[in-house]
Amino acid sequence: MFSKYKLFLFTDDPDTLMLFYRDILEMKVLKKLELPKDYGYMMEVAPGYELWIAKHSQVSGKSQEPVRLIINIYCDEIEKYYLRLRSAGVKFLQEPISMGEFVPGEKRYVCTFHDPEGNCIQFMGNYK
């Protein structure tokens, strides 16, 4: 039986990628790990939910298959983050749209974009 999971986002430059998640998405840095063979940041997505941005020797440059894995983040302020991302020059795969367009009766919104390394992030929630 499984008891929990941990999400890692590997990069060759955790210091730079962390800045996007901290400064644009306003995630809090909970911990910086600096071990000889392990280096990165624990980011708080929401209380009790973390995203590790970590260095990996076999990762270099941008994601080669950016929609194979989508990080879905539930958010009550999609408009706020959409405007922040847009002003930062982020290109969107899907600008905020009601999920009712896809699933009749659904009230949530969805917004999909790439982080600076091409990883696919999707917000799901209220558009305020």
Side-chain angles (χ1 to χ4, degrees):
M1 173 183 263
F2 299 114
S3 62
K4 65 180 188 174
Y5 75 96
K6 190 174 283 188
L7 180 62
F8 283 86
L9 190 54
F10 288 113
T11 177
D12 59 354
D13 186 1
D15 296 315
T16 300
L17 189 56
M18 176 276 298
L19 295 175
F20 175 81
Y21 285 84
R22 186 192 70 190
D23 298 345
I24 304 297
L25 298 184
E26 300 179 320
M27 291 183 187
K28 181 180 176 184
V29 177
L30 295 178
K31 183 188 289 187
K32 181 176 182 183
L33 187 63
E34 292 185 271
L35 300 172
K37 293 187 177 186
D38 203 357
Y39 172 69
Y41 298 89
M42 179 196 297
M43 311 298 295
E44 182 180 53
V45 178
Y49 295 91
E50 296 91 24
L51 166 68
W52 277 91
I53 297 174
K55 185 163 183 69
H56 196 290
S57 62
Q58 295 182 26
V59 173
S60 178
K62 290 193 172 207
S63 176
Q64 299 302 305
E65 294 185 275
V67 295
R68 179 178 289 263
L69 174 69
I70 297 176
I71 300 173
N72 200 43
I73 300 173
Y74 291 85
C75 177
D76 289 334
E77 301 174 299
I78 290 177
E79 181 182 26
K80 171 188 169 181
Y81 290 104
Y82 167 70
L83 295 173
R84 286 178 66 88
L85 290 161
R86 191 174 72 180
S87 69
V90 170
K91 304 285 189 233
F92 292 86
L93 284 92
Q94 176 63 65
E95 300 216 0
I97 187 171
S98 170
M99 283 296 295
E101 296 283 328
F102 310 103
V103 181
E106 178 63 58
K107 302 290 186 211
R108 293 177 298 175
Y109 275 72
V110 63
C111 176
T112 311
F113 59 95
H114 286 136
D115 75 8
E117 292 195 1
N119 301 298
C120 195
I121 311 296
Q122 180 171 272
F123 289 149
M124 181 78 67
N126 296 326
Y127 187 78
K128 293 182 187 175

